[in-house]
Amino acid sequence: MSNSKVKFEAKVHANKNVIFIYFEKDEALTERVKKLQGIKWSFTNKAWYVTDNKFYRDKFGIKARAQGENLLEKIHPINKPAYNALIETLQLRALSASTLKTYSIEFAQLLYILKDYDVRNCDAERIRSYFLYCTNVLKLTEASMHSRINAVKFYFEQVLHREKIFFDIPRPKKQIQNPKLFSKEEIEMILKNTDNLKHKTMLLLAYSGGLRVSELVGMEVRDIDSKRMIINVIQAKGKKDRIVPLSKTTLKYLREYAAAYKPKKYLFEGQYEGMPYSARSMQAILDRAKRKAKINRKGSVHALRHSYATHLLDKGVDITYIQKILGHNDLRTTLRYLHVTTRDLSKIESPLEDLNF
């Protein structure tokens, strides 16, 4: 919406990042603005506004929001250089966007606590006290503690090059949990209770390809190779490409879906044209289907991936093939599914059956 009479301004409104659209009274322009997806009117600001996201920043020609822009505003000036140094090192190491986001948020928590104390002056004892505070006062989970330790460790070891600072700081023991999954019957019920063609196709592809939700929503039309009956998973976790088998049933639904929706770049477009479907909306699709199917079992979209791997094991597929399909670096990660498969358990008869009583 390029117009010299229009001014755009990114602000926080009602605790949300939005973009305000200011212009002099103009009926034709007002009608154009009112057609924007998700447009709202602010009586306080006397202006229209939309959600601050990549789609609208590109559309309005606004520079992309810098990583950690909101976090930086809350950090004391003395520690802002440390925060920026962490971001720059993460970017130079070409780590994933999710790692960059997690590390920046977790490191920022330490900087908030330190206030005007320079983080560069922290020794092992002070860091140890901080982690005790996270454990005893904030009551962080084991997973959250590992994430926070990794972020702080990255700063001191990779940015400041202090390799010995963490030698005496123990890590919490990780809980060992079996993967959450659905039975074949539950998968069937989930699919039967999904009427929308687009939603059903997404669930089918997620399950039949053992895909992570980020892989599913980021998939492009060109990634489906129907001639070779494979799905190309591009730059997945760990920045690795891999291929997975394409199910004949999934292909049938994909063709029907493509004819109806005509996707251009992303296989599944979201609320805004040219933008991918959101992971949160994908989870909402699964939750809605579970409710309709009266399935009370906990399980996110990732549980479809766990289910796929376990069901392959149940069918007798070799564990090393499953490792390749899922994209696991370490076979031990795939071996977790041996704990939940019932393939061999069904053959074991209890010694109770040998007793006469």
Side-chain angles (χ1 to χ4, degrees), residues 126-283:
R126 191 170 192 120
I127 298 298
R128 185 187 183 92
S129 297
Y130 168 67
F131 289 138
L132 281 171
Y133 166 79
C134 293
T135 302
N136 299 329
V137 179
L138 300 182
K139 306 291 185 184
L140 296 187
T141 64
E142 290 90 346
S144 295
M145 280 301 299
H146 276 278
S147 181
R148 190 156 297 188
I149 289 171
N150 286 341
V152 176
K153 184 175 186 286
F154 184 91
Y155 173 73
F156 282 99
E157 294 184 1
Q158 302 299 322
V159 180
L160 298 185
H161 307 292
R162 297 183 191 171
E163 295 182 3
K164 297 180 180 180
I165 194 167
F166 283 90
F167 280 6
D168 296 325
I169 298 176
R171 283 177 176 266
K173 187 175 181 180
K174 285 185 178 179
Q175 291 184 349
I176 300 175
Q177 296 180 325
N178 285 336
K180 291 182 175 64
L181 54 95
F182 302 107
S183 67
K184 284 184 179 179
E185 292 74 21
E186 287 172 328
I187 295 288
E188 191 173 296
M189 288 300 296
I190 286 168
L191 294 172
K192 282 182 177 178
N193 283 277
T194 306
D195 299 321
N196 182 284
L197 175 61
K198 181 177 183 178
H199 296 169
K200 180 174 283 193
T201 306
M202 293 178 80
L203 289 171
L204 277 166
L205 189 60
Y207 170 68
S208 68
L211 301 176
R212 299 179 178 92
V213 67
S214 58
E215 296 166 353
L216 178 74
V217 298
M219 191 157 287
E220 298 184 10
V221 175
R222 62 184 179 182
D223 297 334
I224 304 296
D225 188 339
S226 58
K227 289 184 179 178
R228 298 170 63 201
M229 290 302 289
I230 60 169
I231 303 165
N232 292 293
V233 185
I234 308 299
Q235 293 294 283
K237 188 175 181 180
K239 293 196 169 184
K240 295 182 300 180
D241 294 351
R242 72 178 193 278
I243 57 174
V244 300
L246 173 61
S247 152
K248 291 179 182 178
T249 301
T250 301
L251 178 59
K252 172 179 170 291
Y253 274 88
L254 278 170
R255 282 175 170 161
E256 189 178 341
Y257 158 76
Y261 287 83
K262 298 178 174 54
K264 296 178 178 63
K265 180 183 178 183
Y266 291 103
L267 189 57
F268 302 107
E269 285 190 343
Q271 183 180 7
Y272 306 103
E273 185 180 345
M275 296 292 287
Y277 211 82
S278 76
R280 185 178 295 178
S281 298
M282 182 63 204
Q283 182 60 49

Side-chain angles (χ1 to χ4, degrees), residues 60-110:
F60 300 154
I62 303 173
K63 191 174 79 170
R65 180 180 289 276
Q67 178 68 39
E69 190 175 294
N70 289 344
L71 293 174
L72 197 56
E73 295 170 0
K74 303 173 185 177
I75 296 171
H76 191 278
I78 198 169
N79 282 320
K80 285 185 178 181
Y83 181 83
N84 288 328
L86 176 88
I87 297 294
E88 290 169 4
T89 306
L90 287 165
Q91 291 172 337
L92 288 170
R93 292 280 299 274
L95 297 177
S96 68
S98 62
T99 300
L100 201 158
K101 181 179 179 180
T102 300
Y103 278 28
S104 63
I105 292 172
E106 297 292 5
F107 183 56
Q109 307 312 309
L110 169 63

